[in-house]
């Protein structure tokens, strides 16, 4: 249901406290006092049959006696009474409640009764089992928190009420304020995704902080998080990083926590910055709201103390950032300004007696270096120079926390001496941290957030034309396996699927018995010097564990002996098992090759994941793997490689040349496309995959499937992120002109300037309802980086050219009841029917996506658009609250337009 009927709950004019009391120690008493003491300016209506008045307010015996339906109800009554109260509120016209009461569980059936009572009225429930809802700007503290929160720009969404109270307490002395604090509890109805949708467009909220233990609806969460992250920083703590904590989180929330690697992959892909500790939430919020994401994360350090610089560099290795390599011009500038004893390296140690002028010269040189993205300025107190004078000098160089347009972080070490210096820096907008560790952590937040924001902008395609024929090959293999009611593919079947999606595999022959092994070995030894004989048995996953792989075979007789030994060991391990035969293949050896693993895994929450890391038989011991959500493009695939330790090894070292990393990237993209195309695949291990300078080759492979899903078409509905919907590409003819139509992609931002040059100011005014001369970079990114779960934009390109002729856009509300459309056709191409073709395409798309209706705001003077809407079945209504604007509306469920209320 998403944000429907939640608007008044987050901006209420009246609040009813059901179960409000004056009995000391009761939750109803604490909540009612908090609402009153918080200074809420709207109506406060206690409901409790025991009182006529409480805390100086009239108390009502039942919800039916209230003067009106409350915008927000706060329920603190016994669990068994809650469903009936919700039903009564809904019948009265109420639409939202915060249920503090615990004990409404699946086991006792009360949770379902609560939802059943709410559903007929589209009534929204926050909870049950919550601390409450705190809206500082509305002066509403509808909670049993021990203290109120200060107003500010941070929103907190937490699945733990205890975390909310702890954060309020911790933030109070630090003068940190909040726009809202939402305790979600059991998330029977309203969940994290709903809150993200509400807060994304809240003008009071500069950044969103989350404490998560579980994510019950991953697709909804990802869509909401990606939408919010495009507008403001979203920062999360996700509990359950380790197995025992994950089990505790699952016990607490009653929901699966998911693999931590999957959570990391999901949050990063959603543009969310993940931190580990509560205190990091606020430091991360300060950094991400202060600076924009960076393309690179290269740090220059200027310090008057070598030891402090060394500590900072040491901790830099724990982040995704790097130490900048200074240019020759920077070294020359530093040599001219600093004493001969300066460090001649980064960190730039300007010596302990550094006066303010030395600081400004070093910082200016670092800021001018194109290899530097961020500057960390450090100061250790000495009797030789004033820390405050140094701070004033650096502060004087800054403009909104930047020097030469680059972010600046400051770390003035110490306490007593450093306080005044930090105040000077903060007045200039420079982020000031107390220790080298804090400073590097802040830089790490900026680096990780920038990487997450970059991943957010990637929109890989849903299909590749060059593998269309290979899909049929894979489909036949999977169908044959399913017809035999098998879940695990044989090694030759698995390798055939890898080969179909572009991953090289060695030639593999199969043999049903020992005699055939000898025969096939004789044939293969004409092509290879050495062979490998492997066990084929459908109930054996890891052949090496039982001696099912024999290497370095030089003759047919050795192959026969190997097969005999494999048979003996198999019978010892599986006395009742069935041996299907043997696989014989050339033994592949490559100089300087690195063993890697590529795979597909399934997370119980986020679904399919692409895996890469160090391979071989010790893969579980090495534990050097990273995961990413499909679909992947080349940038995301390379990022996946870079997040592993073995990724550094693959870049080459000493006399070892770099591995063919583009081949690994292509293989990862192949696996990504495979899981997009075939939802039946449950897991895949290609291990080992040898990677060397001459390419990659998968020596072994294992695939399991769900036979019941073999006939299910792609794209895979389990993906929490929709791929670029290539199936909507088409060519249209309009009045003798031909246009290529396709969904928009982030790379299309480069096409917009030329397009707008050919659109008149009058056409822009008619499209955007007001004059507009400039579209900044942030606006263009919002137009081109869209979430296909909620939005669609079709580009019409002049046939054979990368020139935009027209754009049609559809943005659905989160619950997909209504979508708003917009169309803009290049001024010199109007009158050919392109606008009509684009609007018809939007209607077709909306019907396929089960969107309830389409509407749009059209200037009443835009007669051509209004005439087109009438022709296609829209109803038109002049809006009384917006003179000169008409609302056009079509109900897609019936195909009819309807008059819209103003």
């Amino acid at each position: 249901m998403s944000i429907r009927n939640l608007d008044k709950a987050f901006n209420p004019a009246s609040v009813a406290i059901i179960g409000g009391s004056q009995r000391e120690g009761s939750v109803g008493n604490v909540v009612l006092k908090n609402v009153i003491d918080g200074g809420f300016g709207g109506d406060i209506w206690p409901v409790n049959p025991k009182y006529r008045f409480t805390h100086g307010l009239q108390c009502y015996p039942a919800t039916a006696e209230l003067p009106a339906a409350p915008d927000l109800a706060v329920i603190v009554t016994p669990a068994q009474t809650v469903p009936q109260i919700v039903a009564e509120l809904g019948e009265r016209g109420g639409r939202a409640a915060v249920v503090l009461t615990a004990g409404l569980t699946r086991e006792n059936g009360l949770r379902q009764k609560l939802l059943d009572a709410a559903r007929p009225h589209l009534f929204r429930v926050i909870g049950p089992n919550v601390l409450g809802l705190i809206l500082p700007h509305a002066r509403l503290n509808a909670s049993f928190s021990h203290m109120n929160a200060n107003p500010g720009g941070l929103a907190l969404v937490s699945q733990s009420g205890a975390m909310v109270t702890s954060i309020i307490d911790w933030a109070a002395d630090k003068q940190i304020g909040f726009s809202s604090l939402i305790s979600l509890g059991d998330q029977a109805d309203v969940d994290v995704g709903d809150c993200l949708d509400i807060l994304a467009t809240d003008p009071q909220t500069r950044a969103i902080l989350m404490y998560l233990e579980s994510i019950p609806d991953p697709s909804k969460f990802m869509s909401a998080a990606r939408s919010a992250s495009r507008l403001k920083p979203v920062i999360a703590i996700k509990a359950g990083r380790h197995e025992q904590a994950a089990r505790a989180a699952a016990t607490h929330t009653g929901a699966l926590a998911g693999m931590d690697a999957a959570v990391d992959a999901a949050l990063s892909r959603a543009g969310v910055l993940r931190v580990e500790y509560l205190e990091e939430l606020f430091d991360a919020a300060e950094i991400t709201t202060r600076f924009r994401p960076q393309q690179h994360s290269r740090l220059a350090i200027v310090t008057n103390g070598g030891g402090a610089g060394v500590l900072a560099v040491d901790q830099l290795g724990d982040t995704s950032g790097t130490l900048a390599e200074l240019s020759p011009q920077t070294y020359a500038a530093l040599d001219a300004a600093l004493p001969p004893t300066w460090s001649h390296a980064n960190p730039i140690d300007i010596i302990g007696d550094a006066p303010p002028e030395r600081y400004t010269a070093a910082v200016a040189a670092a800021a001018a270096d194109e290899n530097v993205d961020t500057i960390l300025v450090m100061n250790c107190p000495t009797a030789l120079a004033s820390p405050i004078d140094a701070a004033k000098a650096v502060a004087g160089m800054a403009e909104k926390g930047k020097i030469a347009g680059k972010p600046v972080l400051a770390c003035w070490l110490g306490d007593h001496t450093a306080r005044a210096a930090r105040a000077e820096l903060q007045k200039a907008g420079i982020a000031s941290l107390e220790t080298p560790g804090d400073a590097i952590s802040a830089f790490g937040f900026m680096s990780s957030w920038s990487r997450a924001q970059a991943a957010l902008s990637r929109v890989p395609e849903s299909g590749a034309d060059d593998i269309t024929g290979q899909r049929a090959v894979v489909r036949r293999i999977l169908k044959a396996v399913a017809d035999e009611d098998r879940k695990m593919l044989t090694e030759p079947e698995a390798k055939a699927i890898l080969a179909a999606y572009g991953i090289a595999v060695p030639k593999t022959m199969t043999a049903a018995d020992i005699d055939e092994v000898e025969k096939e070995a004789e044939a293969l030894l004409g092509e290879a010097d050495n062979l490998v004989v492997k066990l084929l048995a459908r109930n054996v996953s890891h052949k090496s564990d039982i001696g099912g792989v024999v290497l370095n075979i030089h003759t047919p007789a050795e192959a026969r002996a190997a097969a005999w030994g494999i048979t003996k060991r198999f019978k010892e391990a599986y006395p009742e098992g069935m041996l299907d035969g043997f696989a014989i293949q050339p033994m592949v050896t490559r100089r300087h090759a690195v063993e890697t693993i590529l795979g597909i895994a399934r997370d119980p929450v986020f679904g399919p994941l692409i895996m890469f890391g160090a391979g071989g038989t010790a893969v579980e011991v090495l534990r050097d793997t990273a995961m990413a959500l499909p679909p992947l493009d080349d940038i995301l695939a390379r990022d996946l490689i870079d997040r592993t330790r073995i990724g550094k090894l693959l870049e080459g070292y000493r006399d070892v040349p770099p591995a063919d990393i583009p081949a690994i990237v292509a293989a990862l993209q192949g696996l990504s496309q495979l899981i997009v195309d075939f939802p039946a695949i449950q897991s895949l291990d290609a291990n080992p995959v040898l990677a060397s300078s001459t390419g990659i080759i998968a020596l072994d492979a294992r695939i399991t499937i769900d036979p019941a899903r073999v006939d299910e078409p792609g794209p895979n509905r389990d993906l929490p992120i929709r791929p670029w919907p290539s199936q909507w590409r088409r060519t249209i003819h309009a009045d003798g002109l031909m246009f290529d139509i396709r969904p928009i992609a982030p790379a299309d931002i480069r096409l917009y300037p030329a397009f707008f040059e050919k659109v008149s100011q009058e056409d822009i005014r008619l499209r955007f309802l007001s004059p507009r001369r400039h579209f900044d970079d942030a606006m263009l990114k919002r137009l081109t980086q869209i979430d296909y779960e909620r939005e669609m934009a079709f580009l019409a390109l002049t046939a054979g050219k990368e020139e935009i002729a027209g754009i049609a856009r559809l943005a659905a509300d989160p619950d997909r009841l209504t979508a708003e459309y917009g169309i803009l056709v290049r001024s010199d191409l109007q009158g050919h029917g392109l606008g009509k073709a684009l609007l018809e395409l939007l209607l077709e798309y909306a019907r396929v996506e089960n969107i309830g209706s389409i509407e749009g705001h059209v200037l009443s003077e835009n007669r051509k658009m209004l005439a087109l809407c009438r022709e296609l079945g829209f109803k038109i209504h002049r809006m009384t609250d917006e003179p000169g604007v008409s609302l056009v509306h079509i109900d897609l469920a019936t195909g009819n337009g309807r008059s819209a209320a103003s």
Side-chain angles (χ1 to χ4, degrees):
M1 196 184 296
S2 199
I3 62 174
R4 200 177 344 165
N5 290 337
L6 283 176
D7 50 345
K8 287 187 177 180
F10 283 83
N11 189 26
S14 58
V15 176
I17 295 88
I18 319 297
S21 172
Q22 60 187 27
R23 180 170 59 86
E24 286 297 324
S26 69
V27 175
N29 179 58
V30 173
V31 172
L32 182 54
K33 285 183 64 177
N34 278 348
V35 172
I36 295 169
D37 294 346
F40 179 64
D43 293 318
I44 304 172
W45 298 326
V47 177
N48 193 325
K50 296 179 181 179
Y51 309 104
R52 290 187 61 197
F53 293 91
T54 178
H55 294 282
L57 298 172
Q58 181 178 351
C59 189
Y60 299 88
T63 55
E65 303 298 321
L66 289 172
D71 289 341
L72 177 67
V74 183
I75 301 176
V76 289
T77 62
Q80 64 272 17
T81 68
V82 174
Q84 181 58 34
I85 291 170
V86 166
E88 292 170 358
L89 286 166
E91 290 167 4
R92 186 69 199 277
R95 289 295 175 263
V98 181
V99 180
L100 280 66
T101 308
L104 289 94
T105 66
R106 290 184 176 90
E107 291 73 19
N108 63 21
L110 289 176
R111 176 190 172 106
Q112 190 57 48
K113 288 182 178 178
L114 169 65
L115 294 174
D116 291 343
R119 187 172 295 108
H121 312 287
L122 302 179
F123 191 94
R124 308 309 308 278
V125 175
I126 300 173
N129 190 22
V130 302
L131 172 80
L133 175 66
I134 304 175
L135 305 172
H137 290 286
R139 301 177 66 85
L140 176 64
N141 179 7
S143 78
F144 59 90
S145 173
H146 67 300
M147 63 187 297
N148 205 349
N150 295 320
L154 302 181
L156 174 66
V157 181
S158 175
Q159 291 176 352
S160 165
M163 289 296 101
V164 176
T165 55
S166 301
I167 287 171
I168 291 172
D169 202 311
W170 191 85
D173 288 342
K174 298 181 179 294
Q175 303 303 307
I176 294 172
F178 298 88
S179 60
S180 55
L181 299 100
I182 308 163
S183 168
L184 288 175
D186 296 340
Q187 301 182 89
D189 173 23
V190 175
D191 62 12
V192 180
D194 299 322
C195 295
L196 285 169
D197 281 328
I198 283 284
L199 297 169
T201 55
D202 175 26
Q204 306 280 6
T205 298
R206 292 187 300 112
I208 302 169
L209 315 180
M210 300 187 292
Y211 171 81
L212 305 175
E213 292 181 357
S214 64
I215 299 170
D217 189 336
S219 180
K220 176 181 170 183
F221 170 81
M222 289 297 292
S223 182
R226 286 164 66 82
S227 178
S229 294
R230 289 188 172 100
L231 300 176
K232 58 190 66 173
V234 181
I235 302 156
I237 290 180
K238 169 62 173 68
R241 289 186 297 116
H242 302 294
E243 186 176 347
Q244 287 181 320
R247 286 200 299 268
T251 302
H252 186 198
T253 63
L256 289 167
M259 294 187 292
D260 193 62
V263 173
D264 255 352
L267 292 179
S268 177
R269 192 69 176 275
V272 176
L273 171 61
R274 185 181 185 183
V275 298
E276 294 184 5
Y277 307 108
L278 281 179
E279 61 270 23
E280 291 179 335
L281 278 174
F282 301 104
D283 290 341
E286 180 183 2
I287 293 299
T288 54
T289 54
R290 190 185 291 262
F291 303 118
R292 295 169 64 88
Q294 296 178 296
Q295 191 170 0
H296 302 289
S297 298
R298 299 166 298 185
L299 181 68
I301 301 172
V302 176
T303 178
N304 71 337
V310 171
L311 275 177
V313 172
D314 200 31
Q315 290 173 295
L316 182 63
D318 296 328
T319 75
S320 56
T322 58
L323 198 64
E325 294 187 9
L326 303 179
S327 69
Q329 293 87 344
T330 301
Y331 279 109
L334 292 169
D335 282 337
L338 302 181
T341 52
W342 80 277
S343 60
H344 295 87
N346 184 15
I348 303 166
D349 183 357
I350 59 176
I351 313 304
D353 64 346
E357 297 77 20
R358 204 180 293 171
Y359 264 100
T360 56
V363 170
D369 193 323
E370 62 181 14
N371 297 327
V372 173
D373 303 300
T374 303
I375 304 146
L376 170 59
V377 188
M378 307 179 73
N379 179 274
C380 301
T382 74
L384 302 175
S386 165
I388 296 176
D389 290 345
K392 287 179 178 178
V394 173
M397 302 174 69
E399 183 177 349
K400 295 183 178 179
K402 298 181 180 180
I403 295 175
K406 297 180 179 180
V408 179
L409 306 175
C411 177
W412 258 239
L413 281 76
D415 189 16
H416 177 76
T417 308
R419 277 187 222 137
R422 291 187 194 124
E424 292 292 335
L425 294 161
Q426 286 163 349
K427 277 194 293 186
I430 295 175
S432 181
L433 294 309
E434 294 187 3
T435 69
D438 292 340
I440 294 301
S441 292
F443 174 69
F445 297 148
M446 197 186 316
S447 174
S448 298
W449 182 56
S450 297
R451 175 177 284 188
Q453 287 288 301
L456 176 66
S457 70
R458 307 304 303 177
V459 187
E461 198 172 327
S462 66
D465 293 335
D466 58 347
I467 61 167
T468 299
Q470 298 302 321
R471 291 189 180 99
V473 173
V474 175
R475 191 170 289 109
R476 283 196 297 271
I477 295 172
L478 297 184
K479 188 74 167 63
V481 173
D483 287 346
E484 296 178 15
D485 199 27
R486 285 192 282 133
K487 293 184 177 179
M488 185 178 294
L489 278 64
T490 64
E491 181 183 336
E493 289 168 338
K495 284 181 174 176
I497 288 178
L498 292 184
Y501 274 69
I503 300 172
V505 296
K507 181 179 181 180
T508 301
M509 309 301 291
T510 59
D513 54 36
I514 292 175
D515 292 334
E516 279 192 48
V517 168
E518 189 172 10
K519 179 181 176 183
E520 297 293 350
E522 186 173 6
L524 277 176
L525 281 168
E527 305 172 13
D529 295 332
N530 299 323
L531 300 181
V532 179
V533 176
K534 299 181 181 180
L535 166 72
L536 288 182
R538 301 174 195 190
N539 59 335
V540 177
S541 176
H542 300 290
K543 298 178 284 290
S544 299
D545 292 352
I546 62 165
V549 179
V550 180
L551 309 175
N552 292 310
I553 293 169
H554 301 89
T555 67
E558 288 181 12
R560 182 183 184 91
W564 185 89
I566 288 171
T567 303
K568 180 175 180 293
R569 290 187 289 273
F570 173 76
K571 291 297 183 184
E572 290 172 353
Y574 296 91
E576 305 299 323
M578 179 178 292
L579 190 151
D580 297 317
F582 306 89
I584 309 98
Q585 67 185 47
M587 183 170 171
V588 179
T589 57
R590 291 186 175 177
R591 180 172 167 78
H592 299 311
V594 177
E595 289 189 334
T596 66
I597 182 172
L598 283 71
I600 296 171
R602 287 254 175 184
D603 180 69
V605 175
F606 290 103
L609 294 158
I610 306 300
M611 177 180 64
F612 173 79
T617 55
V619 62
E620 288 89 355
V621 177
L622 294 173
R623 298 181 70 85
D624 178 26
T625 57
M627 293 185 176
L629 292 183
L632 299 181
D633 61 9
D634 56 339
I635 303 297
L636 293 170
R638 179 59 203 251
D639 180 67
L640 177 60
I641 296 168
D642 290 344
R643 287 192 282 120
T644 62
R645 296 190 301 276
I646 202 169
K648 301 290 185 186
L649 202 64
L650 292 167
E651 293 175 356
Y653 56 96
R654 293 186 179 176
D655 62 336
V656 177
D660 187 352
I661 291 179
I664 303 175
V665 167
L668 291 169
Q669 287 183 267
L671 292 187
S672 170
Q673 189 60 51
L674 180 65
I675 194 60
V676 169
D677 291 341
F678 294 99
I681 293 176
Q682 299 298 294
S683 67
L684 184 153
D685 283 348
N687 181 34
V689 177
L690 296 186
S692 68
S693 60
T694 59
I696 68 167
I697 187 167
L699 302 187
D700 205 348
R702 172 183 178 274
I703 297 177
T704 63
I705 66 168
D706 179 355
R709 300 185 67 180
V710 163
D711 294 325
E712 187 177 315
N716 193 336
R717 67 173 186 265
D718 296 341
L719 301 177
I721 298 175
R722 282 200 189 189
W724 186 75
S726 59
Q727 68 272 24
W728 285 95
R729 286 183 292 194
R730 60 196 59 192
T731 298
I732 64 171
H733 298 267
D735 195 23
L737 300 177
M738 189 166 68
F739 300 97
D740 296 323
I741 309 293
R742 62 169 173 79
I744 201 167
D748 292 323
I749 192 171
R750 62 190 169 82
L751 304 178
Y752 265 77
F755 171 66
F756 282 130
E757 284 179 7
K758 296 184 178 180
V759 178
S760 69
Q761 282 298 309
E762 176 64 8
D763 284 337
I764 287 177
R765 184 182 72 84
L766 292 175
R767 164 62 180 89
F768 293 100
L769 309 187
S770 63
R772 189 170 196 138
R773 293 192 173 274
H774 178 65
F775 293 84
D776 61 19
D777 186 61
M779 177 66 171
L780 293 179
K781 284 181 178 178
R782 284 198 295 273
L783 292 174
T784 53
Q785 297 178 17
I786 67 173
D787 181 357
Y788 302 112
E789 188 71 30
R790 300 180 177 199
E791 299 174 75
M792 175 51 75
F794 291 112
L795 294 188
L797 304 173
T798 51
K801 299 180 181 179
E802 284 286 284
E803 294 179 356
I804 300 175
I807 303 168
R809 186 175 298 274
L810 200 66
D813 58 24
D815 44 13
R816 304 173 78 81
L817 288 178
T818 304
E820 185 172 359
Y821 86 94
I823 292 176
L824 183 59
V825 175
R826 221 170 71 186
S827 301
D828 60 324
L829 292 175
Q830 293 177 12
H832 295 284
L834 178 58
K836 179 181 180 181
L838 287 171
L839 185 50
E840 287 175 330
L841 182 58
L842 288 182
L843 291 168
E844 178 189 350
Y845 175 83
R847 289 188 175 99
V848 170
E849 290 292 314
N850 295 315
I851 293 171
S853 62
I854 290 181
E855 63 183 30
H857 293 82
V858 182
L859 288 177
S860 300
E861 63 196 270
N862 193 349
R863 295 185 180 87
K864 288 189 291 186
M865 179 56 70
L866 293 175
L868 174 59
C869 288
R870 286 192 187 94
E871 180 183 348
L872 295 180
F874 286 78
K875 291 291 185 182
I876 300 170
H877 183 79
R878 287 184 178 272
M879 301 180 67
T880 58
D881 57 344
E882 290 186 68
V885 177
S886 295
L887 181 69
V888 300
H889 181 103
I890 186 168
D891 188 340
L892 298 178
T894 63
N896 297 321
R898 63 166 174 82
S899 290
S902 60

